[in-house]
Amino acid sequence: MSDPFAIDIMACINDPSSNMQSSYLSHFTIQDGLLYRNHLLYVLVGACRTRVLQHCHDDPLVGHFGFAKTLELISQGFWWPQPWKLVKEAHHHPYSLLHPLPIFSRP
């Protein structure tokens, strides 16, 4: 695992003498080697988050959901810090050069 946040939280949960506030740690649990926050599965940095985003954003039956609906679907079963940033990046169209519209001489 190469996710520093998950590594730190899991280490603190497993070490009762950790310096992290117990009120913060009380939101996290480890079940079958997976990290959960308030019963939502913590998604590791990288390809895992991208897969969750694709699953919640691209529904073959209804098309692409918008920003709010995608974020809502993610937050129903998954958690990671600031998920809205990844959702926003996925909904942002890349910048490109503007092209002028043609001007017609007749209507």
Side-chain angles (χ1 to χ4, degrees), residues 51-88:
R51 293 284 306 263
V52 168
L53 176 63
Q54 288 171 341
H55 174 74
C56 294
H57 178 261
D58 305 333
D59 188 319
L61 297 177
V62 295
H64 298 284
F65 290 120
F67 175 85
K69 182 66 174 179
T70 301
L71 193 57
E72 177 187 340
L73 289 172
I74 289 172
S75 65
Q76 288 176 359
F78 305 98
W79 184 87
W80 65 84
Q82 301 175 328
W84 59 269
K85 285 185 176 181
L86 185 61
V87 176
K88 183 177 178 182

Side-chain angles (χ1 to χ4, degrees), residues 25-60:
L25 283 179
S26 67
H27 296 283
F28 293 91
T29 57
I30 299 173
Q31 297 175 5
D32 299 324
L34 299 173
L35 182 62
Y36 291 84
R37 182 179 188 269
N38 296 332
H39 307 289
L40 300 173
L41 179 63
Y42 176 81
V43 182
L44 298 174
V45 170
C48 293
R49 290 185 186 176
T50 304
R51 293 284 306 263
V52 168
L53 176 63
Q54 288 171 341
H55 174 74
C56 294
H57 178 261
D58 305 333
D59 188 319

